Amino acid sequence: MQTITWHDFEKVELRAGTILEVHDFPQARKPAYKLKVDFGPLGTKWSSAQITKHYTKEELIGRQILGVVNFPEKQIANFMSQFLVTGLADHNGDIVLTTVERPVPNGSKLI
């Protein structure tokens, strides 16, 4: 594992946001959803996430997640991802979302 400085960590904009919309993403190579997330003062942003094993579209609406919002946009198939959805792999390699324990204002930065 590489050690980083506190200054390096401060550069990463890990922000809380609430999922507003979830759509199927059939063009993705692996099963995925398109997510529209409200990051408060940072606005709404879109991303894709390979989270179809653990989550239905319906149960994702209103859930607060953590996303990295200061990466450049990335094209995934015919879609431009505007932030990175964060999560952890379970024992099968399926992604479990990084969420917050209690509601916080959208756009809050992980500190």
Side-chain angles (χ1 to χ4, degrees):
M1 175 184 340
Q2 180 182 2
T3 302
I4 64 171
T5 67
W6 182 257
H7 181 69
D8 291 334
F9 175 71
E10 287 181 313
K11 293 178 187 177
V12 180
E13 293 286 333
L14 268 163
R15 301 288 184 136
T18 300
I19 299 173
L20 301 176
E21 295 179 28
V22 182
H23 302 277
D24 291 324
F25 189 11
Q27 298 86 358
R29 278 187 263 161
K30 294 181 181 178
Y33 295 132
K34 293 179 185 178
L35 306 178
K36 182 180 182 181
V37 177
D38 177 4
F39 286 103
L42 302 173
T44 58
K45 297 182 180 287
W46 286 90
S47 187
S48 68
Q50 297 172 358
I51 55 173
T52 59
K53 294 283 186 183
H54 288 299
Y55 306 97
T56 65
K57 291 184 290 188
E58 295 76 22
E59 71 182 304
L60 288 168
I61 302 295
R63 184 179 294 244
Q64 250 188 342
I65 63 169
L66 288 177
V68 178
V69 298
N70 64 330
F71 282 139
E73 289 188 357
K74 180 177 181 180
Q75 185 162 356
I76 302 169
N78 63 340
F79 176 74
M80 291 302 288
S81 179
Q82 299 173 311
F83 73 97
L84 174 69
V85 176
T86 63
L88 303 162
D90 69 9
H91 63 281
N92 291 320
D94 299 318
I95 301 302
V96 176
L97 287 170
T98 308
T99 61
V100 295
E101 178 190 11
R102 295 186 181 141
V104 296
N106 288 332
S108 294
K109 184 175 180 181
L110 179 73
I111 54 173

